[in-house]
């Protein structure tokens, strides 16, 4: 394995690492120093993925309480899961739901700034789930 190298792009605040795939290939070829290097501090090639969270809330006595919830990698799957969960709630409980998109970035601590509410959902009188776009 190569020794860590201070990054020049961020004035030495970060350390460069050799990516695992690059390291393995470089070692096989005997060219460890030519493997791709990524700094853990710089923005550089930012790896980002997004997930869709769905949540059902039950309104009881004027307060909203969290009910079933989950996470999927597809927006359509999240909408299907929310629709099924809202239809399973009993008729005497006022229920509503929402779908949030959360961005996950490698090396960063998650907070609510990385989250955006996309849809609010409610059951109508006929038992159908109605989605209202709120963001995105």
């Amino acid at each position: 394995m190569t020794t860590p190298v201070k990054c020049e792009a961020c004035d030495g605040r970060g350390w460069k690492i050799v990516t695992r795939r690059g390291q393995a290939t470089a070692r096989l070829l005997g060219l460890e120093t030519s493997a791709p290097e990524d700094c853990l501090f710089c923005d550089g090639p930012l790896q980002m993925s997004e997930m869709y969270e769905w949540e059902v809330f039950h309104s009881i006595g004027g307060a909203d309480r969290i009910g079933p919830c989950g996470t999927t990698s597809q927006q359509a799957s999240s909408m299907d899961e929310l629709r099924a969960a809202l239809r399973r709630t009993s008729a005497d409980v006022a229920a509503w739901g929402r779908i949030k998109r959360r961005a996950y970035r490698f090396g960063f601590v998650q907070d609510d700034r990385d989250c955006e509410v996309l849809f609010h959902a409610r059951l109508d009188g006929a038992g159908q789930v109605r989605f209202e776009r709120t963001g995105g």
Side-chain angles (χ1 to χ4, degrees):
M1 193 166 204
T2 60
T3 57
V5 178
K6 286 220 177 223
C7 179
E8 298 86 26
C10 61
D11 297 326
R13 291 176 288 180
W15 291 90
K16 288 185 179 180
I17 60 166
V18 177
T19 58
R20 183 173 295 279
R21 182 177 52 177
Q23 172 67 15
T25 304
R27 182 174 283 156
L28 288 174
L29 297 173
L31 304 169
E32 283 101 349
T33 58
S34 67
E37 295 178 340
D38 293 320
C39 178
L40 294 175
F41 190 84
C42 292
D43 289 335
L46 187 61
Q47 295 177 355
M48 187 182 227
S49 65
E50 58 185 21
M51 298 293 285
Y52 295 90
E53 301 174 358
W54 59 272
E55 302 169 325
V56 174
F57 293 91
H58 300 137
S59 299
I60 301 171
D64 291 330
R65 296 189 183 179
I66 187 99
C69 57
T71 304
T72 63
S73 61
Q74 301 289 325
Q75 179 179 324
S77 299
S78 182
M79 292 175 86
D80 290 341
E81 293 288 334
L82 179 58
R83 187 178 292 116
L86 282 172
R87 287 183 179 158
R88 284 193 302 264
T89 58
S90 62
D92 60 337
V93 175
W96 63 277
R98 67 182 177 194
I99 294 177
K100 299 188 297 185
R101 178 177 57 207
R102 185 174 295 274
Y104 292 94
R105 297 179 293 166
F106 175 74
F108 288 87
V109 176
Q110 294 305 118
D111 58 14
D112 286 336
R113 290 179 289 174
D114 297 324
C115 184
E116 175 186 16
V117 177
L118 296 177
F119 295 99
H120 280 206
R122 294 194 182 278
L123 280 172
D124 66 7
Q128 297 295 316
V129 177
R130 302 290 178 199
F131 287 94
E132 177 187 340
R133 183 176 277 288
T134 58

